[in-house]
Amino acid sequence: MQTITILGATGSIGCSTLDVIARHPERYRVFAITGNSQLRPLMEQALACGARYVVVADEQRYTEAKALAADMGVQSEVLCGVKALEDVSSAPEVDAVMAAIVGAAGLLPTLAAVKAGKRVLLANKEALVMSGALFMDAAKQSGATILPIDSEHNAIFQCLPHTFTYGNLPASGISSILLTGSGGPFRERPLTDFDSITVEEACYHPNWSMGRKITVDSATMMNKGLEFIEACWLFGASPDDITVVLHPQSTIHSMVQYVDGSVIAQMGNPDMRTPIAYGLAYPERIDAGVGPLDFATLADLTFSTPCRSRFPNLYLAIEACRVGQSATTRLNAANEVAVAAFLDGQIRFSDIARINEQTLNKMEPIDVYSLQQILEQDQLARHTAAELIRGLM
Ligand code: NDP
Ligand code: MG
């Protein structure tokens, strides 16, 4: 029996995690679930899964959350604030933590789980993009196991050889990591239309059902850029080891190419419950509730190279990855601010990449390592991006 904390339980990944867990009551027990703004769905989850703790990240809503829990007959203890998120991620009773808060807000609780040596099911890619070296060093020190939940990284993880040595891909016979991405809804949209893309259009993904921030990131391909950086840290790869491949059908979730010419791909229906189930049960396999791929009806599998002028955010992220930690931390922060401004109707879709690029251009690369430096750079980049956005309005 594994005891699990789910950070970001009310989100898309959080709900899918609870779905998989509910299929295996004999294997998993929920210790804590956390949410931020959606109090009623969070309490409903608490009733359904019997979590010992329910944590609301937003401290201002403690009284409201307590009252709602009492009203709905929730037996779980209600806690609030970032410290409580860290506590339920690092409590001695907890075996595994699903890190599925969106954005930089996930960094501190995810890091708490890493430092406590937990098995960390990492969906929150932004945490790793912000703090790669610190994050991986903390895992090494504590003995935490990081299991990638992002479907591409989960796929790569499944395609690695048993002899894989972190940080030395050639020693494992690997010539390239092939990171696939669908290209999102605007893969074929005329570039001249990009300024008029609406929030509704950008929040629709042809293959995957996800939260709004990552869906917009998928449309700009910043998501693939963040994943590029994530892959470097997770597998100890250099930017030259990774190739991004457009694969609109999302049937192959990524591949590993070997020096002997072999390519190993992981395939499946695009449903996040597959990588979640893999992370929960690793090294075993459990039913995820996902149907088998039907090869009789499978359409063509196609591949191409993402175009720079269509997806500037992708190339910005790859460049930031080469520059180093200060650039990736800032890019992540600027992008969060720009995406929020787009969702809020303040800027155009095509402005997101402009804000990101200009934020990076305004800040000289520096050495960052400590948590304090990372949080400082995150805040500085947020201010710079917000100022640039005000200039556009
Ligand atoms: P959602 O937007 O659906 O959910 C986000 C979760 O984070 C919610 O539980 C939300 O709470 C919580 N949250 C939001 N803001 C805060 C905050 N300030 N403090 C604490 N908690 C907060 O996102 P997704 O589930 O789509 O994505 C979660 C993470 O997983 C992201 O990092 C994403 O990149 C990654 N990921 C997602 C995939 C997917 O298919 N969805 C695939 C691969 C990676 P509430 O809703 O109550 O406000
Ligand atoms: Mg992904």
Side-chain angles (χ1 to χ4, degrees):
M1 183 65 101
Q2 266 194 67
T3 305
I4 319 265
T5 282
I6 304 166
L7 299 170
T10 44
S12 161
I13 294 286
C15 291
S16 295
T17 306
L18 283 166
D19 179 283
V20 177
I21 284 178
R23 292 168 192 274
H24 304 279
E26 73 297 347
R27 289 184 74 117
Y28 306 108
R29 175 192 304 131
V30 180
F31 180 75
I33 54 173
T34 86
N36 190 46
S37 62
Q38 303 190 70
L39 297 191
R40 188 167 285 275
L42 182 66
M43 296 306 165
E44 278 163 6
Q45 289 181 334
L47 286 173
C49 75
R52 198 150 123 205
Y53 296 98
V54 176
V55 185
V56 178
D58 184 351
E59 243 160 321
Q60 311 294 326
R61 302 190 70 183
Y62 181 64
T63 316
E64 189 191 343
K66 282 284 276 190
L68 185 63
D71 205 39
M72 291 173 66
V74 171
Q75 301 293 311
S76 327
E77 189 172 332
V78 178
L79 305 172
C80 269
V82 176
K83 170 75 172 53
L85 292 176
E86 292 178 334
D87 289 346
V88 297
S89 303
S90 56
E93 299 93 322
V94 172
D95 300 304
V97 175
M98 166 56 77
I101 290 174
V102 62
L107 177 62
L108 295 179
T110 305
L111 215 47
V114 171
K115 285 181 181 164
K118 304 299 183 196
R119 179 183 174 106
V120 179
L121 279 51
L122 185 70
N124 177 215
K125 65 193 86 184
E126 296 93 341
L128 192 56
V129 167
M130 286 175 78
S131 72
L134 177 85
F135 191 103
M136 296 310 289
D137 285 352
K140 204 168 163 192
Q141 264 184 25
S142 69
T145 306
I146 312 289
L147 292 168
I149 297 302
D150 213 342
S151 59
E152 295 75 4
H153 306 75
N154 189 272
I156 294 161
F157 185 68
Q158 294 195 43
C159 298
L160 290 177
H162 294 300
T163 54
F164 179 68
T165 332
Y166 182 86
N168 194 346
L169 274 60
S172 308
I174 296 169
S175 55
S176 188
I177 287 175
L178 304 173
L179 185 66
T180 56
S182 72
F186 309 131
R187 192 173 42 86
E188 288 177 334
R189 169 83 62 117
L191 286 180
T192 45
D193 286 1
F194 266 46
D195 280 348
S196 60
I197 285 170
T198 65
V199 168
E200 198 192 0
E201 288 171 322
C203 285
Y204 166 77
H205 194 283
N207 306 344
W208 296 94
S209 153
M210 310 177 283
R212 276 157 72 88
K213 192 258 178 186
I214 184 177
T215 306
V216 175
D217 281 349
S218 298
T220 66
M221 278 197 91
M222 174 54 89
N223 183 50
K224 209 52 54 189
L226 298 177
E227 290 180 357
F228 188 99
I229 301 163
E230 182 186 13
C232 285
W233 287 115
L234 281 174
F235 307 115
S238 86
D240 293 332
D241 294 327
I242 304 176
T243 307
V244 177
V245 180
L246 276 191
H247 167 50
Q249 298 80 16
S250 300
T251 301
I252 290 176
H253 300 140
S254 278
M255 306 177 258
V256 175
Q257 187 154 43
Y258 289 85
V259 285
D260 61 4
S262 303
V263 177
I264 301 188
Q266 188 262 353
M267 301 168 80
N269 286 317
D271 187 321
M272 287 306 294
R273 290 177 299 174
T274 296
I276 290 168
Y278 187 82
L280 281 168
Y282 177 81
E284 293 170 25
R285 300 263 181 181
I286 54 170
D287 171 33
V290 180
L293 258 191
D294 180 1
F295 282 89
T297 59
L298 203 61
D300 291 341
L301 302 183
T302 59
F303 306 93
S304 59
T305 302
C307 162
R308 190 178 280 265
S309 51
R310 182 172 293 274
F311 300 116
N313 264 334
L314 168 63
Y315 292 93
L316 211 52
I318 293 175
E319 184 52 34
C321 186
R322 291 185 191 279
V323 172
Q325 186 72 78
S326 66
T328 59
T329 305
R330 292 162 179 170
L331 178 62
N332 178 66
N335 184 61
E336 281 190 29
V337 173
V339 170
F342 168 69
L343 288 171
D344 209 28
Q346 296 172 30
I347 60 172
R348 294 171 300 183
F349 181 79
S350 44
D351 290 330
I352 299 173
R354 288 188 198 111
I355 299 293
N356 290 342
E357 183 171 15
Q358 287 172 21
T359 302
L360 287 183
N361 288 346
K362 277 182 177 283
M363 301 171 83
E364 279 299 308
I366 55 166
D367 285 336
V368 289
Y369 181 81
S370 73
L371 186 58
Q372 194 195 337
Q373 289 170 325
I374 286 162
L375 296 175
E376 254 169 40
Q377 290 309 310
D378 174 83
Q379 285 306 311
L380 282 171
R382 278 170 201 273
H383 285 134
T384 307
E387 236 167 64
L388 288 164
I389 288 167
R390 275 193 294 278
L392 285 177
M393 286 160 60

